[in-house]
Amino acid sequence: MEKQKVTAFAPATVANVSCGFDILGFAVEDLGDKVAVTLSDKPGVRVTKIEGDKGKLPYEAEKNTCSVAIMAMMKELDFKGGLEIELFKGLPLGSGMGSSAASAVAALMATNTLLGNPFEKKDLLPFAMESERIACGAAHADNVSPALLGGFVLIREYHPLDVIPLHVPRGLYCTLVHPHLVLNTFDSRSVLRRNVSLQDATTQSGNIAGLVAGLFQEDMALISRSLNDVIAEPSRSVLIPGYDEVKEGIKPAGALGCGISGSGPTIFILSPSEEIAWEVSRLAQQVFDTMQLPIDLYVSAINTRGAYIIEEEI
Ligand SMILES: Nc1ncnc2c1ncn2[C@@H]1O[C@H](COP(=O)(O)OP(=O)(O)OP(=O)(O)O)[C@@H](O)[C@H]1O
Ligand SMILES: N[C@@H](CCO)C(=O)O
């Protein structure tokens, strides 16, 4: 029987993971956006409801990442019908937790199911990337890929797109420290140096290769040594108060390392156990209490499921 309305969820994601600028990301559990898509007799795509955004997100179909992604999909399918979108934001905007990506991926999952699954899950990625272009000016895939597929995902190449799911080591936990600041990805990209020295390119390549090997070998010490970013972190960390203090405090407590989640201001910390992930969250809280800057803290295993359907209504 034909479905009329489908609701989907897509999780928060940590892009870059230090050394993997624009080419690596992982998904987080529980936190995320929900999108419901309903068939309509009126042709075209409309955003009819947005909750949880404090009135900040656009209803115009050409500006909201949900509708931009769906329109890219409809164009590919030559689908001329009507769709209505309801967005329930669980993620803060401009947080570095892949907020724009989660909306787009949830919208695509719901629409794909509503239309009878014309695409495999991974084939939804190009449509989600179009929405990132609208959100921040660059069609980067390091949030949308893990939001869709779950786990750690490597984008080996963009042209043509070559997306590689990686192994998730047992016991790996993540702490997210979200200072109450807004950093738009567009602005955080504009502070990046346009050129990278040969030495930095070599260092970064060694670390990304080491990180990928460390994930597959479940070698926590190798993961720890590889969490080092010489390309984006030096320009961006100065925009995040408390970043250096958190970085300094967490390793003696047993964490593997930390970095800027996506374009910030959220800081991600990787730990080899849930216990250590909670311990470093308390350390981060102390750092920000001293500065009297409010934060939200999340402790999560790595989400290996990615986006999923919550409900189908007939
Ligand atoms: N459905 C949507 N959800 C979130 N942001 C959206 C949405 N539609 C449009 N936008 C726009 O995208 C921008 C938010 O994206 P931005 O990339 O800054 O945040 P983010 O996704 O949390 O960060 P990051 O990509 O670093 O994880 C805002 O300018 C917002 O208006
Ligand atoms: N790779 C992107 C991720 C944004 O979340 C950036 O660092 O700008």
Side-chain angles (χ1 to χ4, degrees), residues 281-302:
S281 76
R282 286 187 279 275
L283 284 171
Q285 184 72 63
Q286 283 168 14
V287 167
F288 284 92
D289 281 350
T290 312
M291 292 187 304
Q292 297 186 318
L293 182 57
I295 58 170
D296 291 317
L297 282 167
Y298 309 95
V299 170
S300 165
I302 310 302

Side-chain angles (χ1 to χ4, degrees), residues 107-271:
L108 286 169
M109 279 293 288
T111 308
N112 197 38
T113 303
L114 192 64
L115 301 183
N117 291 307
F119 295 100
E120 299 272 324
K121 207 176 183 190
K122 70 170 177 29
D123 295 332
L124 298 174
L125 279 177
F127 311 131
M129 288 166 64
E130 278 312 306
S131 73
E132 289 291 57
R133 195 193 305 282
I134 295 296
C136 77
H140 64 92
D142 48 347
N143 288 116
V144 292
S145 304
L148 187 67
L149 304 173
F152 279 85
V153 184
L154 173 74
I155 297 99
R156 189 201 62 79
E157 173 62 275
Y158 273 81
H159 307 289
L161 191 62
D162 189 5
V163 166
I164 322 279
L166 305 177
H167 180 69
V168 178
R170 280 160 299 168
L172 191 64
Y173 267 77
C174 150
T175 306
L176 294 182
V177 184
H178 173 220
H180 289 189
L181 307 167
V182 173
L183 271 184
N184 287 316
T185 306
F186 184 85
D187 298 332
S188 312
R189 289 183 84 86
S190 69
V191 303
L192 297 175
R193 288 174 291 144
R194 295 292 115 192
N195 296 300
V196 172
S197 70
L198 185 59
Q199 187 180 345
D200 284 350
T202 310
T203 302
Q204 199 88 351
S205 309
N207 282 320
I208 187 70
L211 181 52
V212 171
L215 292 171
F216 276 99
Q217 293 172 5
E218 303 199 347
D219 182 337
M220 298 292 184
L222 177 55
I223 293 171
S224 178
R225 292 201 298 284
S226 307
L227 286 173
N228 177 27
D229 171 19
V230 294
I231 292 182
E233 187 191 282
S235 315
R236 286 178 168 175
S237 61
V238 292
L239 305 173
I240 307 171
Y243 183 79
D244 293 339
E245 292 84 345
V246 169
K247 190 170 179 176
E248 201 180 299
I250 51 139
K251 276 217 176 164
L256 302 176
C258 74
I260 302 169
S261 178
S263 60
T266 294
I267 302 168
F268 78 92
I269 306 166
L270 286 179
S271 294

Side-chain angles (χ1 to χ4, degrees), residues 1-22:
M1 209 176 292
E2 202 171 282
K3 291 176 271 289
Q4 292 299 318
K5 179 175 182 176
V6 177
T7 307
F9 173 86
T13 45
V14 171
N16 299 339
V17 201
S18 289
C19 49
F21 178 73
D22 274 0

